[in-house]
């Protein structure tokens, strides 16, 4: 009887009677019981408890219960019976006649509650109220009367999914938990900066002070997790984070000035320093690869690839920030071997082998693909995706965003770099064909996620030259691709 929030539809004595239960206030529980009791009771003894029907000029018509035509005769008889049971007092004027003798206003329900609760009826109502308070029923299946019932609900993910390659790469570093706490405190400021007009500078200052407190109290733990060969560099970065130019103390000054542009620049500088410290704390993979995958090349950290793009028709690229048009454009991609070691390792080896030099590009829906499927190059690497909150990637398995699964390296970032699927099996990536993903929130699904999220092996992000991607056309080609950083982290099969 007290099932939360649903529109009751019951059939009794051949008529369809509806009662609506309001679950949001405990004061409405007795009213619901009254409505339910009336809707299921077609006998005169039950309806007579409502008293004589009166017009309610101040009660909206939506709150009036209208019996069906087949009940009207019964309503008239009940009205007469109720009048005899509850005669009017001497000081009360007779009721006005209603245009519809079968309208029962909600005020009559409250009258019934006051006059009619007796014996076991009082006990039942009390038990129902006690049960609702003590054992609240789940509202997960609640469907409002004004909305149609859905057969499936798409999971709404966290709105703090990284939207830039730099943020996604920073979050993917397997660093000390203390450094992650500092990072999260500072990243909260970037979301506060998006608030228009009156920005919460007091909250921002509190976040920075929290980061300073953690960094000061946990200095030994932060520096102690850095390998000995990087200790000196780590000490310099630590001092720079606290008191250096672009450090946390400067960030507090910018916040006090309430200048959002200065705060944004200072925050970016502090987060870059945090990322550098975290990279020193993560010299290699934080997990062991399955033995069957040790035959593949693997990248045990970060790498950087620089692409030189040339127009296929001899035209020029136009820089968005001004400057002279150029026939060549540079795009820089950071590879993440921490979350995708096999895919990033295979790609880095292909770059070293010159497999992408001279390769044409073609534009598809929200993607720029390398127009190559080289059988003699590359390894057939299984789909490799690391879910958020996990410590190692999954292989030959995609993620279900509807069930709340999100990858550490999301595809829903403009300039994300991923491998295409193999033509032979969706469990494997293409040996060499990759693509730049041109994320567009207008074409995204719920939560701003791509409909292909979790379905491809993302292994890096464009960090420089993003403005070039939108200018690339089918027929343009990669003049050269070079691994400018990270070759020392690349492990080849022959080196085992």
């Amino acid at each position: 009887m007290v099932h939360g929030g649903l529109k009751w539809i019951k059939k009794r004595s051949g008529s369809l009677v509806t009662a609506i239960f309001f679950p949001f206030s405990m004061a409405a529980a007795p009213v619901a019981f009254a409505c339910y009791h009336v809707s299921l009771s077609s006998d005169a003894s039950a309806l007579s408890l409502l008293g004589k029907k009166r017009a309610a000029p101040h009660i909206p018509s939506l709150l009036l219960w209208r019996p069906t035509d087949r009940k009207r005769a019964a309503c008239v008889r009940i009205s007469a019976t109720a009048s005899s049971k509850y005669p009017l007092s001497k000081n009360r004027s007779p009721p006005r006649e209603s245009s519809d003798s079968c309208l029962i206003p909600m005020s009559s329900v409250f009258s019934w509650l006051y006059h009619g609760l007796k014996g076991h009826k009082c006990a039942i109502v009390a038990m129902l109220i006690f049960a609702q308070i003590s054992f609240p029923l789940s509202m997960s299946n609640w469907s409002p009367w004004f909305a149609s019932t859905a057969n499936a609900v798409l999971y709404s993910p966290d709105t703090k999914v990284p939207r830039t390659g730099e943020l996604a790469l920073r979050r993917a570093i397997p660093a000390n938990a203390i450094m992650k706490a500092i990072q999260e405190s500072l990243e909260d400021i970037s979301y506060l900066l998006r608030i228009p007009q009156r920005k919460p500078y007091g909250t921002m200052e509190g976040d920075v002070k929290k980061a300073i407190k953690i960094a000061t109290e946990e200095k030994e733990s932060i520096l102690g997790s850095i390998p000995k060969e990087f200790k000196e560099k780590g000490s310099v970065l630590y001092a720079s984070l606290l008191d250096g130019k672009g450090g946390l103390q400067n960030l507090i000054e910018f916040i006090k000035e309430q200048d959002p542009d200065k705060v944004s620049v200072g925050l970016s500088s502090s987060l870059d320093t945090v990322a550098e410290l975290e990279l020193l704390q993560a010299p290699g993979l934080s997990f062991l690869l399955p033995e069957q995958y040790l035959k593949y090349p693997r990248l045990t950290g970060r790498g950087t690839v620089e692409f030189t793009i040339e127009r296929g028709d001899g035209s020029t690229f136009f820089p968005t920030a001004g400057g002279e048009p150029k026939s060549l454009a540079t795009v820089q991609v950071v590879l993440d071997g921490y979350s995708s070691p096999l895919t990033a390792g295979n790609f880095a080896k292909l770059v070293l082998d010159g497999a992408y030099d001279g390769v044409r590009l073609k534009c598809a829906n929200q993607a720029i693909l390398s127009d190559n499927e080289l059988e003699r190059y590359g390894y057939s690497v299984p789909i490799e995706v690391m879910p958020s909150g996990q410590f190692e990637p999954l292989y030959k398995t995609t993620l279900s965003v509807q069930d709340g699964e999100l990858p550490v390296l999301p595809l829903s970032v403009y300039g994300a770099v991923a491998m295409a699927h193999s033509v032979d099996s969706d469990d494997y990536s293409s040996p060499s064909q990759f693509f730049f993903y041109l994320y567009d929130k207008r074409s995204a699904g719920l939560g701003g996620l791509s409909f292909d999220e979790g379905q491809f092996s993302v292994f890096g992000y464009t960090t420089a030259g993003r403005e070039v991607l939108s200018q690339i056309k089918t027929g343009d080609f990669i003049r050269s691709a070079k691994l400018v950083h990270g070759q020392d982290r690349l492990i080849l099969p022959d080196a085992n």
Side-chain angles (χ1 to χ4, degrees):
M1 184 182 299
V2 198
H3 283 291
L6 294 175
K7 187 198 310 184
W8 276 314
I9 298 178
K10 300 285 185 178
K11 285 187 177 180
R12 188 168 178 101
S13 302
S15 64
L16 186 65
V17 183
T18 302
I20 303 174
F21 174 41
F22 304 88
F24 305 106
S25 170
M26 288 312 305
V31 178
F33 176 76
C35 294
Y36 181 73
H37 185 71
V38 170
S39 66
L40 296 185
S41 302
S42 59
D43 60 301
S45 61
L47 287 175
S48 64
L49 293 175
L50 293 175
K52 186 174 181 178
K53 298 171 288 301
R54 301 176 179 87
H58 300 294
I59 298 177
S61 59
L62 290 176
L63 297 180
L64 297 176
W65 176 61
R66 299 176 180 270
T68 58
D69 291 337
R70 296 179 62 184
K71 295 290 184 178
R72 292 184 182 273
C75 286
V76 174
R77 292 194 300 272
I78 294 166
S79 175
T81 304
S83 299
S84 62
K85 291 188 66 176
Y86 299 99
L88 296 174
S89 64
K90 295 180 180 180
N91 296 328
R92 295 180 59 184
S93 59
R96 289 176 293 175
E97 292 297 328
S98 171
S99 58
D100 188 343
S101 61
C102 290
L103 292 179
I104 301 178
M106 288 296 295
S107 59
S108 298
V109 177
F110 288 97
S111 176
W112 171 81
L113 291 174
Y114 183 77
H115 294 290
L117 290 178
K118 297 179 181 180
H120 66 277
K121 294 183 177 64
C122 295
I124 292 175
V125 172
M127 290 170 61
L128 290 172
I129 295 174
F130 177 78
Q132 181 72 6
I133 296 174
S134 303
F135 309 100
L137 297 178
S138 171
M139 298 290 288
S140 60
N141 295 322
W142 175 56
S143 176
W145 65 272
F146 49 80
S148 58
T149 304
N151 293 325
V153 177
L154 183 63
Y155 175 85
S156 180
D158 186 5
T159 57
K160 292 188 177 182
V161 172
R163 295 304 184 192
T164 66
E166 290 81 1
L167 178 54
L169 288 167
R170 188 164 57 240
R171 290 187 179 180
I173 303 173
N176 185 298
I178 296 171
M179 289 303 302
K180 285 300 180 184
I182 296 174
Q183 176 185 322
E184 290 174 3
S185 181
L186 294 178
E187 285 179 352
D188 284 341
I189 299 175
S190 64
Y191 295 102
L192 297 176
L193 282 172
R194 299 178 187 176
I195 299 175
Q197 298 177 351
R198 297 179 63 86
K199 302 183 186 298
Y201 289 105
T203 304
M204 297 181 195
E205 185 176 349
D207 287 335
V208 179
K209 289 181 177 179
K210 176 183 176 182
I212 292 175
K213 181 180 179 182
I214 296 173
T216 303
E217 294 178 351
E218 301 293 342
K219 177 180 179 180
E220 292 185 3
S221 178
I222 292 172
L223 297 179
S225 59
I226 298 176
K228 185 179 296 185
E229 59 270 26
F230 301 129
K231 286 281 188 185
E232 184 177 352
K233 184 178 181 181
S235 298
V236 173
L237 287 172
Y238 175 83
S240 176
L241 176 64
L242 289 179
D243 303 311
K245 184 179 180 180
L248 297 179
Q249 293 295 345
N250 274 1
L251 182 56
I252 286 183
E253 294 176 7
F254 295 150
I255 291 174
K256 289 181 177 179
E257 294 177 13
Q258 297 191 3
D259 187 329
D261 294 331
K262 288 184 178 180
V263 173
S264 180
V265 173
L267 177 63
S268 178
S269 176
S270 296
L271 284 172
D272 286 344
T273 305
V274 168
E276 289 186 66
L277 273 170
E278 289 179 339
L279 287 172
L280 292 181
Q281 295 175 340
L285 300 183
S286 58
F287 55 90
L288 296 176
L289 285 169
E291 186 175 353
Q292 65 267 33
Y293 296 137
L294 296 179
K295 63 181 180 180
Y296 295 104
R298 55 192 181 274
L299 188 66
T300 59
R302 291 280 165 83
T304 304
V305 174
E306 189 173 278
F307 293 95
T308 301
I309 312 296
E310 186 173 350
R311 287 290 198 192
D313 56 5
S315 59
T316 58
F317 292 99
F318 292 89
T320 57
E324 294 294 327
K326 297 181 180 180
S327 58
L328 300 177
T330 301
V331 176
Q332 185 173 285
V333 173
V334 173
L335 312 181
D336 182 46
Y338 293 123
S339 304
S340 191
L342 301 185
T343 308
N346 179 56
F347 186 82
K349 183 180 184 302
L350 288 170
V351 170
L352 285 176
D353 293 342
Y356 295 111
D357 296 346
V359 170
R360 296 274 176 182
L361 299 173
K362 59 181 179 181
C363 297
N365 184 28
Q366 291 186 246
I368 302 170
L369 293 93
S370 60
D371 193 8
N372 67 321
E373 188 60 38
L374 308 177
E375 296 181 1
R376 65 182 184 278
Y377 286 122
Y379 289 78
S380 191
V381 178
I383 293 289
E384 185 178 38
V385 182
M386 180 180 285
S388 294
Q390 301 297 320
F391 299 99
E392 57 184 348
L394 301 176
Y395 293 97
K396 299 182 182 181
T397 303
T398 57
L399 302 185
S400 174
V401 176
Q402 290 86 347
D403 294 332
E405 297 177 331
L406 295 174
V408 172
L409 302 179
L411 181 67
S412 305
V413 175
Y414 190 89
V417 185
M419 298 303 293
H421 283 174
S422 170
V423 295
D424 299 322
S425 173
D426 285 342
D427 290 339
Y428 287 83
S429 295
S430 168
S432 60
Q433 188 178 33
F434 75 99
F435 64 91
F436 296 95
Y437 187 71
L438 308 182
Y439 169 76
D440 186 349
K441 64 180 180 181
R442 296 171 297 181
S443 303
L446 185 64
L449 294 178
S450 166
F451 289 104
D452 292 318
E453 189 63 78
Q455 306 301 304
F456 291 90
S457 296
V458 178
F459 61 91
Y461 295 96
T462 306
T463 56
R466 274 189 291 259
E467 70 280 359
V468 175
L469 299 179
S470 61
Q471 302 180 48
I472 294 176
K473 300 182 295 186
T474 297
D476 295 346
F477 62 93
I478 301 173
R479 185 169 183 174
S480 65
K482 298 179 180 178
L483 184 65
V484 297
H485 174 72
Q487 188 169 348
D488 57 326
R489 296 295 186 92
L490 178 61
I491 298 178
L492 302 176
D494 295 339
N496 291 334

